[in-house]
Amino acid sequence: MDALPPPPPELAGVVSSDPAAVRAVSGSRGPIWMPPRAVARPRDVDDVAATVAWCGAEGLSLTPRGGGTGMPGGNVGPGVVLDLSALNRLTLESDGTLSAQAGVLAAAADARAREHGRHLPALPSSAPWCSVGGMVATDAAGARSFRFGPIHAWTRGLEIVGSDGATASLDRDRAPTDAPPWGALRTRLAARALAPLPPVRKNSSGYAVHRFVDTGDPIQLLVGSEGTLAVVTDVRLDTEPLPEARGVVLVGVATVDALPEAAERADATGAVTCEYLGRRLLELGGLVDDPRVARLDGRAGVLLVEYGGSADHVAAGLAAWPEPRMASTDAPTMARLWGLRHDASPAIARAAGDRRSIQFMEDCVVPRTALPDFVRGVEAALARHGLDAVIFGHAGDGNLHVNPLVELADPRWRTTVRDTLDEVVDFVAGLGGTLSGEHGDGRLRAPLLERIWGEAHVAAFRLVKDALDPEGILNPGVVLPLQGQDALDGLAEGPDLQRLARVAPAEA
Ligand SMILES: Cc1cc2nc3c(=O)[nH]c(=O)nc-3n(C[C@H](O)[C@H](O)[C@H](O)COP(=O)(O)OP(=O)(O)OC[C@H]3O[C@@H](n4cnc5c(N)ncnc54)[C@H](O)[C@@H]3O)c2cc1C
């Protein structure tokens, strides 16, 4: 490899090719491993702008990185990785708006709001490790997004550095904007006759062209763009008052055919979550005889439904679920019910033996009426390829995490992964879904985009990329594929994969 072009003097101390520093940012929390040539650790926004300008001048690709918890490999790249963790200033404004630099951890932002009786409802379960910049970049969501929506619904303002190294300030309240490049881009996108969107409740695949065209708000295009259109340096997020009362009910799922109706019931009764733990997760997680679960008719799994609001609203919500059920408004019991998934992980890891949980089809989203077909179809595909898997997640939004356990000692395991993924892509497209409800496309799903979205949508995504990053500096190969890119490029080898694939199987 050629020597790295020397960074300008103002970036001395920011850019490093030290092997340990490079190794630390070579992996994602999924199976993709891609060492960069260097890592840059900006101390402030000026450093970010100078790094982007330097990469542009030298033709180096730049991959923004927050907590590095992303799964599909959007947070790794072969050029310069921009580690934003030192940008960590956080304030809560008097109107409850969180103002955070990109590297602030999501849990820290939420904790600040909680000190003042508020919270950030679109909080992912990776909140202790992921950054607010990463959340915005992936359009992250959490269990409560069932009621409150993903992070795009909570993003009030962004400070960004564009691909030319220029800073810009974007405010939701100033939309629609005709300012360059946004007005002209919106006009060009609006002129395209795009097919209707996949009919899903949430989606982190592709660019949110439709939301941008509808609102004229550039923030809506940048949220979920995975570091491919701009670097986010500061985020302003709305928060919500904490509910006066809470209650949780755990109910059995006798058959997956019951999932759409249960999701409707959760919606109609104003639930804030509707989370599913599939049967195999309960079995491998040693939870079938657990006192929390044993009394329920959970032949196809269990649902965890939470209510928040007035005490009357919570009581009515809990009562809407027939017996047998396990309901509570008492904080320790609610925590125990929420702890089920977390409790399952060590037992699943033990039951998995030498197999590893590999996240390569972990974030599909389908219309929730299609959930029974999705679960059955995916289980059949897994069985055909000899894979066991745990299935769980945001059933209320039709977004289920499928984590196959892969035998890495089997010399055919890569072929098994490829064939299974290949089958699932067409299957999900046929159900009207996409491959990502909240994690994003990353590198893994970029080459599969056209099979889900079709040519016209992908052409619109390319128009966006060409308008905002004409030189292709920002995270090339993420969201949109490069020529010849393969979904399994960067699938880690040997020890790296063993190390990477230790994400607890029931955690994401
Ligand atoms: C155990 C576990 C649980 C998880 N649970 C959830 C969940 O409940 N919900 C959910 O949505 N996700 C979940 N995830 C996935 C992941 O945590 C989210 O995608 C998260 O938002 C990524 O944030 P990060 O700071 O780690 O970003 P990274 O992993 O560093 O980056 C992710 C993407 O964002 C881009 N990016 C990061 N920072 C910036 C920036 N400042 N400007 C521009 N682009 C940037 C990167 O280039 C990359 O494409 C989970 C992951 C794990 C490991």
Side-chain angles (χ1 to χ4, degrees):
M1 192 184 291
D2 298 343
L4 188 74
E10 69 267 27
L11 291 180
V14 169
V15 178
S16 164
S17 294
D18 170 69
V22 162
R23 190 173 170 78
V25 296
S26 297
S28 67
R29 289 299 290 270
I32 308 292
W33 178 266
M34 193 169 284
R37 292 176 73 181
V39 53
R41 291 224 168 77
R43 295 156 296 200
D44 53 28
V45 177
D46 289 345
D47 281 350
V48 174
T51 308
V52 175
W54 170 59
C55 286
E58 298 294 348
L60 294 163
S61 68
L62 184 76
T63 295
R65 182 171 170 112
T69 66
M71 299 215 151
N75 46 12
V76 294
V80 174
V81 164
L82 186 73
D83 172 355
L84 290 148
S85 54
L87 269 62
N88 58 10
R89 206 175 46 237
L90 168 67
T91 50
L92 183 71
E93 296 169 13
S94 54
D95 65 354
T97 307
L98 278 167
S99 188
Q101 284 191 308
V104 167
L105 293 180
D110 184 59
R112 179 66 57 86
R114 281 174 187 268
E115 286 166 12
H116 297 269
R118 304 182 72 84
H119 70 134
L120 189 55
L123 203 66
S125 55
S126 51
W129 316 286
C130 77
S131 67
V132 295
M135 279 175 70
V136 163
T138 52
D139 198 7
R144 286 173 178 73
S145 295
F146 176 57
R147 175 66 34 214
F148 296 105
I151 200 69
H152 73 251
W154 297 86
T155 309
R156 171 181 285 266
L158 294 180
E159 304 284 324
I160 59 167
V161 174
S163 64
D164 56 358
T167 55
S169 181
L170 301 169
D171 188 331
R172 187 179 60 194
D173 296 337
R174 292 205 300 265
T177 174
D178 288 332
W182 310 109
L185 177 59
R186 185 182 180 209
T187 305
R188 290 175 70 196
L189 290 168
R192 301 201 157 215
L194 293 176
L197 290 175
V200 288
R201 277 172 59 104
K202 73 195 236 222
N203 172 57
S204 278
S205 176
Y207 297 132
V209 165
H210 61 291
R211 283 205 306 271
F212 174 53
V213 169
D214 290 351
T215 61
D217 182 1
I219 291 173
Q220 292 302 324
L221 192 56
L222 294 172
V223 173
S225 63
E226 300 184 56
T228 63
L229 304 180
V231 180
V232 173
T233 55
D234 285 82
V235 178
R236 293 181 72 232
L237 298 171
D238 291 330
T239 58
E240 165 87 3
L242 283 164
E244 177 189 315
R246 285 176 59 217
V248 173
V249 59
L250 187 69
V251 290
V253 179
T255 144
V256 290
D257 290 320
L259 286 174
E261 195 193 320
E264 286 298 329
R265 180 190 308 231
D267 219 355
T269 53
V272 295
T273 75
C274 180
E275 296 282 293
Y276 174 62
L277 305 185
R279 179 70 190 183
R280 198 67 187 125
L281 184 148
L282 298 179
E283 286 170 357
L284 289 172
L287 294 171
V288 171
D289 297 322
D290 186 282
R292 290 166 288 188
V293 170
R295 215 166 52 81
L296 311 174
D297 182 3
R299 279 169 286 153
V302 294
L303 279 179
L304 198 55
V305 181
E306 176 166 324
Y307 293 86
S310 71
D312 286 350
H313 168 74
V314 169
L318 299 183
W321 298 87
E323 291 285 358
R325 64 173 191 239
M326 185 146 183
S328 177
T329 54
D330 147 79
T333 311
M334 288 193 287
R336 270 189 353 100
L337 294 178
W338 270 113
L340 273 170
R341 199 175 108 187
H342 185 61
D343 295 353
S345 277
I348 297 174
R350 275 195 304 279
D354 287 339
R355 294 173 297 171
R356 289 283 174 268
S357 172
I358 308 260
Q359 278 77 8
F360 65 90
M361 48 186 273
E362 86 295 349
D363 196 30
C364 301
V365 58
V366 296
R368 66 188 186 199
T369 48
L371 278 174
D373 288 343
F374 175 76
V375 175
R376 287 206 180 91
V378 161
E379 284 178 346
L382 290 163
R384 271 194 294 282
H385 295 285
L387 292 174
D388 201 358
V390 297
I391 301 182
F392 61 95
H394 318 298
D397 283 327
N399 177 208
L400 291 185
H401 302 310
V402 178
N403 288 347
L405 300 171
V406 179
E407 181 65 77
L408 300 185
D410 179 348
R412 290 169 299 118
W413 75 266
R414 284 163 194 274
T415 310
T416 304
V417 166
R418 181 182 296 284
D419 292 350
T420 312
L421 178 60
D422 202 43
E423 218 176 290
V424 166
V425 175
D426 291 336
F427 176 59
V428 168
L431 292 176
T434 82
L435 298 178
S436 176
E438 56 184 24
H439 295 170
D441 293 312
R443 294 181 179 280
L444 178 69
R445 290 185 263 272
L448 310 170
L449 208 66
E450 194 159 317
R451 286 167 64 186
I452 294 289
W453 286 93
E455 260 177 52
H457 276 286
V458 173
F461 299 158
R462 283 213 183 274
L463 193 157
V464 170
K465 176 74 174 171
D466 291 346
L468 299 181
D469 181 21
E471 304 300 326
I473 301 298
L474 296 173
N475 232 355
V478 171
V479 181
L480 287 165
L482 298 172
Q483 192 77 33
Q485 185 175 331
D486 182 79
L488 302 188
D489 284 350
L491 196 65
E493 304 278 347
D496 289 332
L497 183 60
Q498 293 284 348
R499 195 180 59 80
L500 283 173
R502 285 185 195 281
V503 170
E507 294 297 331

